Amino acid sequence: MAYHTLRQEYMLMPPVTRAYTTVCLLTSIAVQLDVVSPFQLYFNPLLITQKFEIWRLLTPFFFFGTFSFNFLFNMIFTYRYCRMLEEGSFRGRTADFVYMFIFGCITTVICAWFVNLLFLGHSLTTMFVYIWARRNPYVRMNFFGLLPFRAPYLPWVLVAFSVLLGNSVLVDILGIAIGHLYFFLEDVFPNQPGGRKLLATPRILYAQISRSLRYFSKKKNIFK
């Protein structure tokens, strides 16, 4: 009974959130079991360009560390804000959501090329948080039940929390900067006099996502 309930809840997750969080969880399990090493996953421009280890353009976004409080905290935030975006402002717009993912990953990789960042998933999560927060400016929140604030301040609360934990805030600041860039190009600039939409999702991506969703929908119906 518990298995069926868990499976049902898992299948109710929106597709992109389900896929991304599953890959992140499986990656951490693989590292925990010594199937792969973090040294095979981290972002290294020299190994990418000189040894053609192209997978390092993607794997840094999937590893949030081995099982620990920090891993749990990051996974909860990734799942929560990725899902709220996909079910909120991107509801019925899966291709646009995937395009936001692609924009975030490419921009993060370009920035990471010039700074010393090994794993990039935390920056991507911060980008999700920033975009969600800017699109929900009147939502009231509190941090561990102690500090009340409105949603737009959430990314900065997380920066302060990182400082308190003694962590580097570079990944948080990078995520905020990339989130702000996306928010400006997608939500602000098109509504300015003379502005236009610069992040139009390619038609080929719409077609591919539509085919994929139909395929997985049929598979899901078969195994019901």
Side-chain angles (χ1 to χ4, degrees):
M1 183 68 178
Y3 165 76
H4 289 295
T5 302
L6 185 62
R7 183 179 181 278
Q8 187 177 33
E9 286 299 317
Y10 176 74
M11 295 308 296
L12 285 175
M13 292 169 60
V16 180
T17 301
R18 182 170 67 238
Y20 181 59
T21 53
T22 299
V23 172
C24 292
L25 181 60
L26 291 177
T27 301
S28 290
I29 291 173
V31 172
Q32 191 78 35
L33 297 176
D34 291 325
V35 176
V36 295
S37 165
F39 294 105
Q40 297 172 288
L41 306 175
Y42 76 98
F43 183 76
N44 187 319
L46 291 178
L47 292 177
I48 293 170
T49 55
Q50 296 180 7
K51 301 239 175 145
F52 303 105
E53 296 184 2
I54 305 300
W55 65 84
R56 294 182 186 273
L57 292 171
L58 292 177
T59 53
F61 292 101
F62 301 148
F63 184 60
F64 286 90
T66 52
F67 297 146
S68 62
F69 171 76
N70 192 47
F71 167 79
L72 183 63
F73 185 82
N74 278 307
M75 283 303 299
I76 288 173
F77 264 75
T78 300
Y79 163 75
R80 176 177 172 81
Y81 289 96
C82 188
R83 180 168 187 169
M84 286 199 298
L85 274 177
E86 191 170 2
E87 292 182 334
S89 57
F90 287 97
R91 178 180 290 275
R93 299 167 54 216
T94 304
D96 294 332
F97 189 58
V98 171
Y99 195 55
M100 183 207 70
F101 243 97
I102 294 171
F103 172 86
C105 290
I106 290 175
T107 311
T108 303
V109 165
I110 292 171
C111 294
W113 213 278
F114 301 99
V115 296
N116 187 27
L117 288 180
L118 302 180
F119 295 102
L120 311 177
H122 186 83
S123 286
L124 193 64
T125 298
T126 307
M127 185 192 81
F128 297 154
V129 172
Y130 183 90
I131 295 170
W132 177 86
R134 290 301 301 268
R135 289 182 171 178
N136 296 272
Y138 302 111
V139 174
R140 292 184 175 275
M141 310 186 74
N142 63 76
F143 197 66
F144 292 124
L146 300 174
L147 178 66
F149 57 91
R150 290 187 184 272
Y153 293 101
L154 177 59
W156 303 105
V157 171
L158 295 180
V159 170
F161 187 62
S162 291
V163 172
L164 289 176
L165 292 178
N167 298 329
S168 170
V169 299
L170 179 59
V171 288
D172 297 285
I173 297 299
L174 179 60
I176 288 172
I178 294 171
H180 182 73
L181 177 62
Y182 178 87
F183 178 77
F184 176 79
L185 294 176
E186 182 69 12
D187 293 36
V188 178
F189 183 68
N191 297 315
Q192 300 300 309
R196 60 192 180 92
K197 191 175 177 66
L198 299 176
L199 294 179
T201 305
R203 291 184 180 180
I204 189 172
L205 185 58
Y206 277 119
Q208 185 59 50
I209 293 297
S210 180
R211 282 196 296 268
S212 299
L213 290 176
R214 285 198 300 268
Y215 173 80
F216 286 111
S217 178
K218 289 178 182 177
K219 286 290 185 182
K220 188 162 68 172
N221 291 333
I222 290 173
F223 290 105
K224 275 186 177 179

